[in-house]
Amino acid sequence: MIKVGPGNERTRVSQHSSDIAAAFDDSPIMRQLQDLSTRRRHLEEVEIEFTGQTRILTVSNQKGGVGKTTTTVNIAAAIADLGGKVMVIDLDPQGNASTALGVPHSSETTSIYDVLINDVRIADAVQQSPENERLFCVPSTIHLAGAEIELVSQVAREKRLDTALHEYLDDLDEPFDFVLIDCPPSLGLLTINAFSSADEVFLPIQAEYYALEGLSQLLGNVKMIQKHLNTRLRVSTILLTMYDSRTRLAQQVADEVREHFPDEVLKTVIPRSVRVSEAPSFGQTVISYDESSAGAIAYKEAAVEIVKRGAPRRKGRN
Ligand SMILES: Nc1ncnc2c1ncn2[C@@H]1O[C@H](COP(=O)(O)OP(=O)(O)O)[C@@H](O)[C@H]1O
Ligand SMILES: [Mg+2]
């Protein structure tokens, strides 16, 4: 009979626990954590230079709920975190971007509505976000809901934002590196004003069924704007949002979008993450709410890609 002494028992137990540790090391959750910490280290090593030229991007997609607002505020916060000076223009009457950036936007607040309708200067409407001293927001208020109709009778109704924005930007001692415009989910006069002011269209696409539905309509609208209102406009950036890596569908949507737009789609995809969706209820972006979460890291990586790629080249030039 083999007598098992206390020493042997210990060996067996420690063998057992190191087996568990090895299995845990190789578990999906552990691999995910290791992957996140490697990516965080890479982000810490990134060196970014801002050129002093202002890039103006309109974050647009005619579909609602695809991540436009989430992308606007988190990319803005991530660029500010990298050292850039950023302004978000909240052009959606819902005011969700203003909320997420912690900027007051009650009905008495001077807002983008006053800029568009009452000839107020952007300098008098812009507010600093408590998130970051380099992050600013021109808020939206409930009044903006009526602006689509009020704009109809205004002079130069498609160009009012463009005029106000360039008047403001041209007069600054310290230029903005980025202006991001958060659009409502429709092609009304508000979105047309955004398209007329911007150089680049930034298109968030939700990695779900029907992701590409309505996209040809959007591209048609961009062409129309290029022809009649703003020859500078280019679709420069596409970001896959709410990506669920466990589903084949997300992968299929990603493949299809990359096939159609090989140059525009960012390598980074934004995972579906609870931290991303709960941050706005604290008046925060996920960058400050939980900076080491998967969502924050992905948005920071996407921001690095956007800054590093630089502005798209104009057609007809080198
Ligand atoms: N990566 C994400 N993970 C989880 N939820 C998300 C993510 N991105 C957006 N959401 C949620 O999806 C909903 C729609 O996003 P939102 O940015 O408001 O879209 P849009 O501005 O296009 O209407 C919101 O409730 C938001 O919190
Ligand atoms: Mg929105």
Side-chain angles (χ1 to χ4, degrees):
M1 197 172 106
I2 303 169
K3 218 174 149 200
V4 180
N8 283 351
E9 197 54 65
R10 241 194 323 271
T11 319
R12 227 184 294 161
V13 169
S14 76
Q15 175 65 41
H16 186 58
S17 59
S18 74
D19 282 353
I20 292 175
F24 190 63
D25 267 355
D26 206 34
S27 69
I29 188 134
M30 203 56 198
R31 262 178 278 146
Q32 229 169 29
L33 285 173
Q34 279 160 354
D35 174 53
L36 274 182
S37 82
T38 311
R39 286 164 62 197
R40 215 166 44 220
R41 263 204 314 279
H42 284 162
L43 278 168
E44 278 162 16
E45 287 159 12
V46 163
E47 280 177 28
I48 291 282
E49 260 185 52
F50 290 93
T51 60
Q53 284 208 317
T54 311
R55 284 173 66 186
I56 308 174
L57 290 86
T58 175
V59 183
S60 311
N61 186 327
Q62 275 140 272
K63 290 176 90 172
V66 298
K68 289 184 290 297
T69 302
T70 308
T71 295
T72 306
V73 298
N74 288 306
I75 292 288
I79 296 175
D81 203 47
L82 289 167
K85 185 178 170 191
V86 189
M87 179 165 70
V88 169
I89 298 180
D90 188 352
L91 211 55
D92 189 332
Q94 304 226 355
N96 294 339
S98 312
T99 305
L101 294 174
V103 161
H105 58 108
S106 71
S107 58
E108 293 87 47
T109 311
T110 305
S111 71
I112 197 66
Y113 171 82
D114 300 297
V115 172
L116 293 170
I117 305 292
N118 297 330
D119 276 327
V120 165
R121 295 177 319 149
I122 287 189
D124 296 325
V126 70
Q127 299 183 43
Q128 191 174 42
S129 164
E131 285 263 322
N132 188 310
E133 59 180 15
R134 289 181 298 276
L135 182 54
F136 297 80
C137 174
V138 184
S140 140
T141 62
I142 191 71
H143 300 299
L144 195 61
E148 293 275 9
I149 292 173
E150 288 177 63
L151 274 169
V152 173
S153 58
Q154 299 264 345
V155 176
R157 58 191 178 188
E158 295 98 348
K159 288 273 189 182
R160 295 184 73 89
L161 180 62
D162 184 46
T163 307
L165 182 58
H166 286 94
E167 226 170 65
Y168 174 64
L169 294 176
D170 291 350
D171 212 26
L172 289 173
D173 293 334
E174 195 195 330
F176 277 96
D177 297 295
F178 279 83
V179 175
L180 298 175
I181 308 173
D182 185 29
C183 279
S186 59
L187 186 79
L189 275 169
L190 289 173
T191 300
I192 292 178
N193 265 276
F195 279 160
S196 298
S197 317
D199 305 314
E200 304 175 45
V201 178
F202 179 173
L203 186 65
I205 292 183
Q206 186 181 353
E208 293 261 333
Y209 278 121
Y210 309 123
L212 300 180
E213 196 187 59
L215 213 56
S216 59
Q217 196 194 353
L218 180 111
L219 297 175
N221 290 333
V222 171
K223 271 214 177 95
M224 184 181 75
I225 302 278
Q226 280 170 339
K227 189 167 170 196
H228 297 288
L229 287 167
N230 178 4
T231 54
R232 306 184 312 272
L233 195 65
R234 302 274 173 277
V235 177
S236 68
T237 310
I238 297 177
L239 178 62
L240 289 155
T241 63
M242 295 183 239
Y243 189 91
D244 185 347
S245 57
R246 291 165 307 181
T247 70
R248 285 249 309 275
L249 176 69
Q251 183 64 50
Q252 282 165 2
V253 171
D255 290 347
E256 199 173 340
V257 175
R258 286 187 201 285
E259 199 180 303
H260 284 286
F261 305 98
D263 300 329
E264 291 82 4
V265 184
L266 299 181
K267 286 200 204 87
T268 310
V269 297
I270 307 301
R272 187 175 274 287
S273 135
V274 177
R275 307 303 265 170
V276 170
S277 60
E278 62 192 17
S281 54
F282 296 90
Q284 281 180 288
T285 69
V286 77
I287 308 298
S288 65
Y289 177 62
D290 188 354
E291 66 161 357
S292 54
S293 64
I297 288 173
Y299 269 117
K300 284 186 195 178
E301 288 172 333
V304 169
E305 274 193 73
I306 292 170
V307 178
K308 285 206 161 176
R309 283 168 157 214
R313 288 197 206 136
R314 302 263 168 91
K315 267 190 189 150
R317 296 205 199 154
N318 287 328

